[in-house]
Amino acid sequence: MKKRILALAACFAVLLCSCVKEQQPTEDVSKDNLTVVGFSQVGAESEWRVANTESVKAALSVKNGYELIFDDARQKEENQFRAIRTFIQQNVDYIVFSPKVETGWDSILQEAKEADIPVIMIDRDIKVEDESLYTAYIGSDFRKEGEKAVQWLENLLKKQQRTEDPIRIVHIQGTMDSSAQIGRTAALEYAIKRNPNWEMVAQECGDFTRAKAYEVMGAILKETKNIDIVYCENDGEALGAIDAMEEAGLECNVNDGVIVISFDATKLGLQYCMDGKIALDVECNPLQGPYVDGIIRSLRRGEPIERKTLVDETQFDCFSITQGMIDGRKY
Ligand code: AHR
């Protein structure tokens, strides 16, 4: 474990980026033995994100031998650069971050590499020239999530004998250029190419938030109400889009209304699925903290690690969901 730099310098750096030390060690845990981790989270835009943050905080707790320095980037990549640079100045033992977008990370990760600090990425993936700039990635296969959604839709429309009917789709995208948006969008766009009766009538960014999706869906509804499917890239967006549609007098249900597709499968999303308003909710698993803890423990013991870990994920639809599935949901 590296020695931390002078306390005064560290405090100054903490103030600079407004990073927050999450816990003070309890008396029975020696501060010198704690593993210091800087965690740059992209923001707090969704229930999913809050659950992801909580998962990391719970796994990297003082009780588990960590001192966690947390920074919320408030959806700005430059804030993530600033936070990571501050973690480097603080000489933390590990850096964990959830990148807002896929590109732009080469220089800052080069700085971390030169400082000999292992970087673990969670949630979203990145594209860098040199893969050795980070040590491990733990996250989701977003393209696969999208494929699950469009395959389910194809099967549903076949069962409903609508393979020849025009199918008019509204697409609310997540944060542009994030790997979650790129994967889920690619799956839908590819499905539209292979289904000649599917048509994209509107495609707008909802920023993964309920408020923005409500706003863009409202604007789309002023142009047309002739919509068969609304494909939202997370639960917050689905809820916002449903609010706007219901206000405009449209029903959301799989039989004779608008078919709403969503991602995340949060407790609230699953409740909407149970109520029949979300037809399919593809799970995106935010509980990545224990994986990060596992990777750090292996690294500390000098053991080999999985460079890429894709978390387990399932899907829920309005036909088979049960109250028990919702009750068992923690987030
Ligand atoms: O990157 C994961 C996505 O980001 C989740 O689907 C969404 O809810 C979050 O904000």
Side-chain angles (χ1 to χ4, degrees):
M1 192 184 309
K2 289 178 190 150
K3 291 255 180 277
R4 279 171 296 147
I5 57 170
L6 290 170
L8 269 176
C11 286
F12 179 65
V14 169
L15 279 175
L16 265 183
C17 78
S18 70
C19 301
V20 179
K21 282 192 181 174
E22 279 308 307
Q23 310 109 354
Q24 292 304 315
T26 49
E27 272 170 29
D28 55 336
V29 184
S30 160
K31 219 179 166 200
D32 289 341
N33 289 334
L34 296 177
T35 301
V36 183
V37 178
F39 173 30
S40 165
Q41 178 59 286
V42 69
E45 73 283 3
S46 61
E47 303 289 319
W48 187 99
R49 182 68 52 201
V50 173
N52 182 250
T53 299
E54 289 309 316
S55 171
V56 174
K57 285 183 178 175
L60 306 190
S61 64
V62 170
K63 183 165 65 67
N64 290 344
Y66 293 95
E67 179 180 351
L68 184 67
I69 307 171
F70 176 76
D71 184 78
D72 176 345
R74 300 182 307 282
Q75 304 300 322
K76 288 199 164 56
E77 191 178 25
E78 55 272 28
N79 287 346
Q80 295 203 280
F81 295 158
R82 204 172 306 132
I84 292 171
R85 197 158 284 130
T86 305
F87 297 151
I88 295 169
Q89 287 162 1
Q90 290 171 296
N91 201 19
V92 299
D93 296 307
Y94 298 91
I95 291 172
V96 175
F97 83 113
S98 164
K100 179 186 175 197
V101 291
E102 282 195 346
T103 52
W105 300 100
D106 299 74
S107 306
I108 191 72
L109 293 186
Q110 185 61 41
E111 289 176 38
K113 189 177 175 185
E114 280 161 17
D116 210 14
I117 301 175
V119 172
I120 301 165
M121 271 154 22
I122 61 167
D123 170 24
R124 301 174 184 170
D125 208 348
I126 59 171
K127 280 197 166 58
V128 276
E129 290 271 308
D130 173 5
E131 298 267 312
S132 77
L133 289 179
Y134 63 92
T135 303
Y137 166 67
I138 299 149
S140 301
D141 186 336
F142 298 108
R143 177 68 190 252
K144 190 168 161 197
E145 290 175 0
E147 293 298 342
K148 286 182 192 171
V150 295
Q151 272 168 25
W152 184 89
L153 256 181
E154 284 174 336
N155 289 338
L156 175 78
L157 295 171
K158 207 181 281 173
K159 271 191 218 133
Q160 293 182 334
Q161 300 181 323
R162 295 168 73 186
T163 50
E164 303 296 319
D165 299 351
I167 300 295
R168 293 169 55 82
I169 302 171
V170 167
H171 180 195
I172 313 277
Q173 296 173 287
T175 303
M176 298 309 290
D177 303 324
S178 66
S179 58
Q181 175 270 315
I182 292 170
R184 293 167 188 169
T185 292
L188 177 63
E189 289 181 343
Y190 188 63
I192 288 177
K193 281 198 190 123
R194 69 174 178 253
N195 287 280
N197 62 321
W198 290 20
E199 183 197 350
M200 183 86 85
V201 292
Q203 187 176 47
E204 296 289 342
C205 178
D207 277 342
F208 283 133
T209 69
R210 185 172 184 162
K212 184 75 191 294
Y214 172 77
E215 184 188 313
V216 297
M217 191 70 217
I220 292 165
L221 288 164
K222 287 197 177 101
E223 300 296 317
T224 181
K225 290 200 178 67
N226 185 5
I227 298 164
D228 299 291
I229 289 163
V230 178
Y231 181 100
C232 298
E233 290 187 355
N234 81 345
D235 281 345
E237 291 183 347
L239 269 50
I242 291 169
D243 290 342
M245 284 188 277
E246 290 185 339
E247 271 179 38
L250 293 185
E251 280 211 20
C252 298
N253 73 66
V254 82
N255 297 316
D256 53 4
V258 178
I259 299 167
V260 178
I261 303 295
S262 184
F263 296 86
D264 283 357
T266 58
K267 204 176 181 82
L268 192 53
L270 292 186
Q271 189 56 58
Y272 270 62
C273 192
M274 185 79 176
D275 296 343
K277 294 183 181 191
I278 290 178
L280 173 75
D281 208 343
V282 179
E283 184 181 42
C284 183
N285 183 353
L287 306 179
Q288 296 162 0
Y291 294 88
V292 177
D293 175 39
I295 295 270
I296 291 178
R297 282 178 197 279
S298 297
L299 288 172
R300 292 196 60 198
R301 288 195 291 260
E303 294 166 1
I305 53 146
E306 287 291 337
R307 222 182 110 72
K308 183 168 180 157
T309 306
L310 294 176
V311 291
D312 287 338
E313 296 177 334
T314 182
Q315 66 191 63
F316 301 87
D317 70 34
C318 58
F319 303 114
S320 56
I321 191 163
T322 63
Q323 190 57 47
M325 294 171 183
I326 302 171
D327 294 343
R329 211 75 182 155
K330 290 196 181 69
Y331 53 91

